[in-house]
Structures are given as structure tokens and as C-alpha cells.
Amino acid sequence: MDLFVAVTFQLVYGIANLALISLGLAIIFGMMRVINLAHGEFLMLGGYTVVVATNAGVNIWVAMLILAPLVVGVIGVIVERVIIRWLYGRMVDTLLATWGLSLLLIGLVTSIFGASTATTISPPLGIIRIGDYSASGYELFLIGVTLVLFLAVFATLKLTKLGLVARGTMQNPEMSSALGVSTTKIYMITFGLGAAVTGLAGGLLAPVTGVLPTIGATYIAKAFITVISGGSAILAGTAAGSILLGGINGIFSFLTGPTLGEVALLVAAIILLRLMPRGITGRFFRKSL
Amino acid sequence: MTGGNTGMRPVLIFALIGTVFMFGAPYVLQLFTIINLTTAIALAVLALSLALVWGFGGILCFGQVAFFGLGAYAYTMGAINFGGSTWAILVAILVSSAFAAILGYFVFFGRVSDVYLGVITLTVTLIFFSLIRRTSGPEFKIGIAQIGGFNGVTSPPLNLPWDTSSFLFPEQVFYVAMAALILCYVFCGWLMNTHFGRVCVGIRENELRAELLGYDSRLYKLGIFTISAGIAAIGGVLFCNGVGRITPDVFNLYNAALTIIWVIVGGRGTLIGPIAATFGLFYLTSALGGQSTLNNNLVLGVILIFFVLLVPKGVAPTITDWVARRRRPRKASRRARRTMRRDEGSNA
């Protein structure tokens, strides 16, 4: 029984982790049909923000929950203004430009902080016990944050004026712009918000994974397949993709070790796309957010 | 995207220049430069394979290094097991092409759109990277060859066909590499002038129209994808011979990006552009590696953004367009000019 609870906890944490690292990417993809290849580097920047701020004496919670999303969100807006906005409607070029941005950010951070960081921060919150097994309290906290984040995005899209306008732009940009909505402004805000959510995720994961200029590469493979398998609905897609792929990854990792877990995740995603080329939400839950 | 099918003449001219270089270079250059050049040639074959599948097939493959690395690993594993390189080269090409065919079946027959395809191929590459990095224990081996994980494996050198005792010297490997590059280049040029190549370009230009004319675009895409993976594998074989070992780092994000940058800078829709860009950027990155003020990633990122925003066609098509414009009679009417622009494609 205790083993069952402990394994289930790990499974849920794996799913939440996947959802957390993918949500920012999904927001940008769902709203703008832009796949941000610099997503991993936005996560990395969030992590660096936390490490630098904590070392400068800022409270770790403030650094993670406020500074990381703020800094990366501002960077996102700048990126949108300088690079992305010239490339709307040219999906392939957007991909390539964000890939260039990804290399640029890796290079920039390496130049400033060096190729490796000695300073790490340990995860706050202690250990919780499940019978004979123990689990990290911080992992439980991350699961909670993921849920809150999903609720917040849902509330923003469903209940606020900005969310209404954003959903309209998502469905039909020409019509929204004819009705007087400044779509360029919406795109700018969306990109900034997506970046902020990504920064938050990166900041929250920094105590668990540590930070390196190249750490983005370890996240993006998983984040990309989750979002693509999920389809274009932001929340339902990310949730469905995370549950399915995170579940498969967790089960295979438990049975055969972490090496095959990622391979199983990839194979599952490729077979899924053969059956549903537009992702899960391209077939099911079409009307969902 | 520019680039149609305008005959074999430019291809053969460049092949001739390459042959002259191949026989001339060892007399002029030092051995160290020749060894370095071998690596650059291997990478040029990789660039050529991406130029084929992306520039002509219109397939956005971000993971061409996966086939390159897979070829290099298959060659190394094969050569260790067979004790000679002859069959290992064949195995490398077959493994890579077979993997591409399986992956291609899922993505093309699932009708996955091009952007998704780019992301999926990139993901496959990154998963190879993390998978092979974890294989460092003695239990991970193929036949008698250990995969070696993070540190990679030493690749056995090429030998004369079916003569496992006569290994090639670095200078001879250079000849082999250069000959392979020229042959692959001529092959690609020829392929694009066949019926198959023309249909591929037609699908790139307008997939729906090609399908309405009765061509099954999925099969053609799968075909060109598989062929280009085989060519990338040849590059991989040459690469691990030039460097002497193969590590999981071939699969990393940096190398995947580098391949894309060669083709973007050289120009999509040409074959010679990406090859030339590979040599140019190879020497740029080598020079950058020797100093520490400017980070390699930083420079490549700036180059990529610069080209996407300002020179989206790449260098080779921009030059040919410029030459074409200079040659054109001034007084030609606008209509004639437009027709000419349509007729003159760059195909080298």
C-alpha cells in the first residue's frame, strides 16, 4: 500500500513536471501558432534569475514566484518586439529565428556566468513520509503550483476581458482586428505571458535540477512532444498530453529504468501523431481551452 | 524558395572544380590542414543531405544529425564487430536509411505538417543524445563493441575493400572523403534532374496540385527523406574517420543547429551553397574556438537570426539573382523581366 502511494506520487509528480515545463510553450503555440524553440532557454533564464537573486540575498520564495516570471516575461516582450513580430505568418522562419535566439541566449549566459555554475540552491521544504517511504515536500509543492497555474490561466482566459479578446484573436485574427482589437498588442502580451509562465517554471525547477547554460536542452524534447501531442488547445491539450506521456514515461521508468522511459515517451508520441496528426485536442475536446 | 531543375551543367562544373581541388590540395596544404579538411568534408556531405531533403524536398528536417550520428555509430559498431570497414559502411547507410524510412512512414503517412515534422525530428535527435549518453556501462554493447556512453567509442579507420590489414592513411582518407563528397553531389544533382526529383520539387511548390495530378506525395517525400538519410550516414562514416572517434555530442542541439545554419546561409534550393557555407563556417567556428572573448553559440545565434530576418534566401541564390539582374538588358519591359525571373532558377 505504501509502495503504491509512493509510486503514484512519483507518477503524479512526473505528470505535473511535464505540464509545468510545457505550459508556457503551449500558451504561445495555442495563441499564435508559433513554436518557440528558445523555450528551453527561457526556462534556463528563469533558473538563473533565481540563483543570482538568492545569492544576492533575496528570499528564495520571492525570487522563484515573483522575480523569475517578471524577468523572463520582460525578456519575452522584448524578443517579440525585436524578432518575432517581423515573422508572423512565416512559421518556418519563426522557428529558425527562435532557434537562433536559443543559441544566442546560451552563448550570452555562458559568456556572463561561465559554462558551469558552482552555486546551487537546495530545495526548500523537507521530506514527507509515506509509511516506509519518503517523498520530497518540494515535489508536493510543485504539484500544487502546477494546479494553481492551470486554474489561473483558465480564469484569465475565461473570466477576464483580456482573456475574451485573446480567445477571439486565437479563433479569428482578421475578425478581431476588424472589430477594433489590436492583435499585435494581444500577440505581444501573449508572448510575454507565455515567457513569464516559462520563467516561473524554470525558476521553480532550479533548486531541483541546478542551472547550466545548456540545461534548456534537457527540457525541450519533452516539452515539444507534450505540446504537439496535446494539440492546439492550451489547457486541455497540455493536460491531456502531460497525463498520457507523463504516465507512459513514469510507468516505463518504473519498470525498466529512466533510459527507456524517454524512449517510450517519444515512441508513444510518434504513434499518437500517426493516428491523430493534429494532436489529442485536434480529435477530442475540440471546444476546450 | 528558389531552385528548379536546370540541367546538369552547373553540377558537373562544380564537380570538376572539386576534383581539381581533390588532387591539388595534398601538394599545397600541410597534413594537419588535410586532416581538418576531412572533417569539414564529412560535414559538407551532411549539409548536402539536408540541402536535398529541405531545399528540394521541402521537408523541414531539424534532425539530420540524427541520421549522420546513427551512421557514424553503426559504422563504428560494424567495423569493430566485422574487423573491417567494407561491410560496416553498407551497414551504416542501411541502418540510417531504414530508421529514416520507419520514422518517415509515421510522419508522412500521418500527414504531419512541416513545422511539427521539424520539431519531431529535432526531438528524436535529442532523445538519441540522452539515450546514448546513458550507455556507459559494460552491459551496453552491440556484439563485441561497447557503446561507451558519454565518452564515445574509438572508430576503426577505413581499410581497402575486403583487405582488413591495409588501413588508409589520413591523406588517403582525404581522397576518399573528397571523392565521396563529389559523388554524392553529382548524385544529388542527377537525382533532381530525374522524373523523381522533378516531382519532389513540384510537391515542394504545391503539394495539393501535385496530388491532383496523381502523384502520391507521401511516397515521394518518404523516398527523398530516406535517400537523404543514407547520404547523411555517408557523412557520418567520413566524420568518425576524420575525428577518430564518435561521441554522443554529434546528436546535441548545437550540432543540429549548425546543420540548419549551413543550409540557411548557403541557400535553400541549391546544393553547392550549403557545401560552400559548411567550409566557410567550419573555418569560422574553428577560429572562434581558439579565442575566448566571443562565444561560439553567441556568434552562430546572431548569424542565424541575421540570415532569417535579412537574407532569408541565403547567399548562393542572392548572388545568382544579383548576377541575373545585372545581365538582364535594361530596356526589357517589366513583363519580360518577370518571365525571365521565373525561368531562371539557380540550380547548382
Side-chain angles (χ1 to χ4, degrees):
Chain A
M1 182 61 206
D2 292 342
L3 178 67
F4 177 74
V5 174
V7 169
T8 313
F9 177 79
Q10 277 311 313
L11 205 61
V12 172
Y13 172 66
I15 291 169
N17 194 330
L18 213 50
L20 189 64
I21 59 175
S22 312
L23 187 60
L25 188 69
I27 291 175
I28 295 173
F29 175 65
M31 289 291 301
M32 302 152 77
R33 290 289 179 282
V34 167
I35 291 188
N36 175 20
L37 278 177
H39 180 71
E41 281 58 48
F42 282 6
L43 287 165
M44 179 267 287
L45 288 175
Y48 267 94
T49 310
V50 170
V51 170
V52 170
T54 338
N55 286 341
V58 179
N59 180 302
I60 186 168
W61 298 106
V62 175
M64 283 195 305
L65 297 173
I66 298 169
L67 276 182
L70 207 64
V71 169
V72 181
V74 169
I75 293 172
V77 170
I78 296 171
V79 166
E80 200 275 344
R81 285 289 90 185
V82 177
I83 300 175
I84 312 288
R85 69 164 165 151
W86 307 106
L87 300 170
Y88 284 125
R90 289 156 62 188
M91 272 184 84
V92 174
D93 287 342
T94 323
L95 273 179
L96 296 170
T98 50
W99 201 345
L101 178 70
S102 145
L103 294 173
L104 181 84
L105 290 174
I106 294 176
L108 210 59
V109 171
T110 314
S111 307
I112 299 171
F113 297 101
S116 59
T117 40
T119 47
T120 46
I121 37 177
S122 51
L125 305 173
I127 278 174
I128 47 170
R129 302 210 59 85
I130 309 168
D132 294 339
Y133 301 89
S134 61
S136 151
Y138 190 65
E139 290 182 356
L140 189 65
F141 168 71
L142 285 185
I143 296 173
V145 169
T146 310
L147 285 175
V148 171
L149 206 55
F150 267 72
L151 282 177
V153 173
F154 180 78
T156 313
L157 282 174
K158 205 78 179 175
L159 304 176
T160 64
K161 174 124 189 289
L162 174 72
L164 183 72
V165 175
R167 278 186 290 144
T169 310
M170 186 159 91
Q171 273 181 12
N172 192 335
E174 284 82 20
M175 185 57 78
S176 317
S177 125
L179 289 171
V181 174
S182 166
T183 46
T184 52
K185 205 191 246 171
I186 292 292
Y187 285 147
M188 187 180 81
I189 295 172
T190 315
F191 202 87
L193 280 180
V197 170
T198 311
L200 177 66
L204 287 168
L205 289 172
V208 184
T209 57
V211 285
L212 279 177
T214 51
I215 192 131
T218 54
Y219 297 120
I220 52 167
K222 286 190 236 167
F224 286 151
I225 356 188
T226 309
V227 170
I228 287 186
S229 312
S232 57
I234 297 173
L235 292 171
T238 313
S242 311
I243 291 170
L244 184 70
L245 297 179
I248 289 172
N249 184 18
I251 292 166
F252 269 84
S253 299
F254 177 67
L255 293 176
T256 61
T259 312
L260 284 180
E262 266 183 30
V263 177
L265 187 145
L266 176 72
V267 171
I270 288 176
I271 293 172
L272 182 87
L273 281 176
R274 172 72 182 85
L275 304 171
M276 303 176 218
R278 301 171 65 98
I280 300 171
T281 51
R283 173 75 57 94
F284 306 112
F285 325 112
R286 279 195 187 182
K287 299 273 167 170
S288 55
L289 270 176
Chain B
M1 256 185 244
T2 55
N5 320 71
T6 52
M8 285 293 285
R9 192 191 288 174
V11 175
L12 292 176
I13 291 173
F14 282 117
L16 194 69
I17 295 174
T19 317
V20 170
F21 176 74
M22 169 177 158
F23 288 108
Y27 294 103
V28 187
L29 302 170
Q30 290 178 322
L31 185 63
F32 176 72
T33 320
I34 292 288
I35 293 173
N36 254 335
L37 256 178
T38 310
T39 312
I41 292 166
L43 297 173
V45 175
L46 171 64
L48 178 70
S49 73
L50 184 64
L52 180 73
V53 74
W54 187 13
F56 288 88
I59 297 163
L60 190 62
C61 180
F62 282 176
Q64 201 69 13
V65 276
F67 308 124
F68 178 80
L70 203 58
Y73 265 99
Y75 164 78
T76 306
M77 298 293 124
I80 293 174
N81 276 308
F82 305 144
S85 64
T86 316
W87 290 108
I89 296 172
L90 268 179
V91 166
I93 297 171
L94 281 181
V95 165
S96 229
S97 310
F99 179 72
I102 295 168
L103 181 66
Y105 164 75
F106 281 102
V107 291
F108 297 128
F109 282 74
R111 292 197 180 277
V112 170
S113 74
D114 59 348
V115 174
Y116 280 22
L117 189 83
V119 174
I120 290 173
T121 47
L122 179 62
T123 311
V124 168
T125 314
L126 293 173
I127 299 242
F128 265 117
F129 178 57
S130 62
L131 183 68
I132 295 185
R133 269 166 71 102
R134 290 206 190 110
T135 57
S136 44
E139 68 272 26
F140 295 104
K141 54 183 175 184
I142 297 172
I144 53 163
Q146 296 205 351
I147 304 176
F150 192 73
N151 294 318
V153 250
T154 310
S155 307
L158 288 169
N159 54 258
L160 290 177
W162 292 286
D163 181 2
T164 51
S165 56
S166 53
F167 293 113
L168 298 186
F169 294 109
E171 203 167 291
Q172 293 162 322
V173 174
F174 166 77
Y175 285 122
V176 173
M178 200 62 207
L181 174 62
I182 294 169
L183 285 178
C184 289
Y185 174 64
V186 173
F187 171 76
C188 291
W190 168 79
L191 189 70
M192 285 305 108
N193 279 294
T194 59
H195 179 76
F196 173 81
R198 288 171 203 278
V199 175
C200 284
V201 173
I203 291 170
R204 179 195 77 192
E205 289 302 316
N206 192 332
E207 184 164 351
L208 182 65
R209 193 177 290 178
E211 295 225 307
L212 291 174
L213 287 170
Y215 298 107
D216 187 346
S217 72
R218 301 172 299 180
L219 274 180
Y220 282 91
K221 282 182 168 180
L222 186 63
I224 198 167
F225 191 65
T226 311
I227 292 170
S228 97
I231 295 172
I234 295 175
V237 171
L238 298 172
F239 179 77
C240 62
N241 266 289
V243 180
R245 67 186 300 113
I246 182 72
T247 65
D249 283 340
V250 286
F251 295 112
N252 73 16
L253 197 60
Y254 176 78
N255 286 319
L258 208 49
T259 322
I260 299 288
I261 293 172
W262 295 326
V263 177
I264 293 267
V265 171
R268 281 164 278 179
T270 77
L271 294 172
I272 196 71
I275 293 177
T278 311
F279 285 106
L281 287 173
F282 181 78
Y283 280 95
L284 176 72
T285 42
S286 310
L288 285 173
Q291 49 87 49
S292 54
T293 30
L294 271 178
N295 183 284
N296 245 344
N297 278 306
L298 191 74
V299 174
L300 287 177
V302 171
I303 291 176
L304 182 50
I305 296 175
F306 173 81
F307 270 86
V308 170
L309 287 177
L310 301 174
V311 200
K313 277 173 156 182
V315 172
T318 310
I319 292 175
T320 39
D321 282 5
W322 185 75
V323 172
R325 228 178 297 134
R326 285 294 298 266
R327 270 196 204 155
R328 198 166 292 147
R330 283 259 167 95
K331 283 180 182 173
S333 71
R334 201 168 254 189
R335 186 194 174 90
R337 208 178 291 172
R338 216 179 297 137
T339 331
M340 283 171 82
R341 190 169 305 158
R342 210 185 307 134
D343 291 342
E344 287 172 7
S346 51
N347 180 45

